[in-house]
Every structure is written in C-alpha cells, then in structure tokens.
Amino acid sequence: MNHKRNNIFPFKADEIEELTASFEKLSSEKTSYANGGSGGYDDGMDTRITKLENFAEDAKQRLARVETKLDHIDKEVSSFKWWLFGAVLTVVLTVIGTVVGTGVGIQQMTVSTFQAAGAQAQTANHTPQPAPIVIQIPTLPAAPPVQQPVEAPPAASN
C-alpha cells in the first residue's frame, strides 16, 4: 500500500510505513492470554469467535423468518378487521332496516284500517234503511160500565 501520495495525517510517510509494518507483525504473532502474556492472540478465541459468528448467522436467519411471519400476521389481522367491520355493518343495517320496515308496515296497516273503517261508514249512510215493521192490533169493543150498588141512606131516628 502506498501511503506517500495522499497523506492527510501529520506523520511522515516513513513513520506510517513503520506503524503499518508493526501492526502487521502484531497480528501475525500468536501469544497466549491464558498464560498472562502480553500478546494479542489466544488459540481458544478463534473457536469462541467462530461459535459467536455461527450464532449470529443463525439469529439473523431466525429474525428473517420472524419478520416474514409478522408481515403475514399483519396482513391477516388487517383482513380480519375489515371482515369484522363488514359483519358489524351488516348486522347494524339489518336491524335499522327491520325497525324502519316494521314502522312503515305498522303505519300502513293503521292507515288501511282507518280507510276501511271510513269506507264502511260511508256505505252504511248511503244504503236506504228498510221500512220499519208496524204491527197493528185491532181495538176491542169497550166493556159496559160497571155500576156500583148504591146504599140506602140510614133512617132518621127521632
């Protein structure tokens, strides 16, 4: 790598090359943390890092599946909400229609009842009444008057 061209750091190009070489040397050395050494390498670390990387990859795949399922659940809930809204709207409109229809039906029955009663009353007034039946009883001859016996006045006594 050529650091001499675009050097934006306040170091000289030779210093940068020295630092780069020392970092490369450190990364290639293998010293043990377990023995308390001051090195930067532990043989068990690679195994642990590999396990963590595998775990992260597995977690990533599981998260992708969970997101897919959540999207599906979101769509299902959304469609269920619309289905429930439609069902409730249908029930409410049916009840309103029934109440209004019953009210109109009752009103129509009441009007037709009064119209029929009025028509009956009008036909009853225009029909001629039959002539009344008159029964005549013949008169009986008058009975002779009954005379009352007259009593004699009491005699005068002197």
Side-chain angles (χ1 to χ4, degrees), residues 10-98:
F11 299 105
K12 295 179 184 174
D14 295 335
E15 292 174 336
I16 292 176
E17 287 179 16
E18 272 182 49
L19 287 172
T20 306
S22 65
F23 281 124
E24 289 173 1
K25 182 180 173 190
L26 282 175
S27 65
S28 65
E29 290 180 2
K30 293 185 177 183
T31 56
S32 175
Y33 285 118
N35 295 332
S38 61
Y41 186 79
D42 181 13
D43 289 332
M45 271 311 231
D46 283 338
T47 309
R48 292 172 65 192
I49 289 174
T50 304
K51 285 182 182 179
L52 286 172
E53 287 173 347
N54 291 338
F55 176 77
E57 185 63 33
D58 186 47
K60 186 177 175 183
Q61 291 172 358
R62 287 183 183 199
L63 278 175
R65 286 194 305 258
V66 167
E67 285 177 347
T68 304
K69 287 180 182 180
L70 286 176
D71 289 342
H72 178 70
I73 289 171
D74 184 40
K75 289 175 186 174
E76 291 294 322
V77 167
S78 178
S79 67
F80 177 74
K81 282 190 243 180
W82 283 110
W83 177 86
L84 185 63
F85 174 75
V88 168
L89 184 65
T90 302
V91 169
V92 167
L93 290 178
T94 301
V95 168
I96 289 172
T98 303

Side-chain angles (χ1 to χ4, degrees), residues 105-129:
I106 290 172
Q107 184 262 343
Q108 288 298 319
M109 288 188 292
T110 304
V111 167
S112 33
T113 301
F114 282 124
Q115 287 174 345
Q120 234 178 9
Q122 287 176 355
T123 57
N125 289 339
H126 295 293
T127 312
Q129 295 290 327

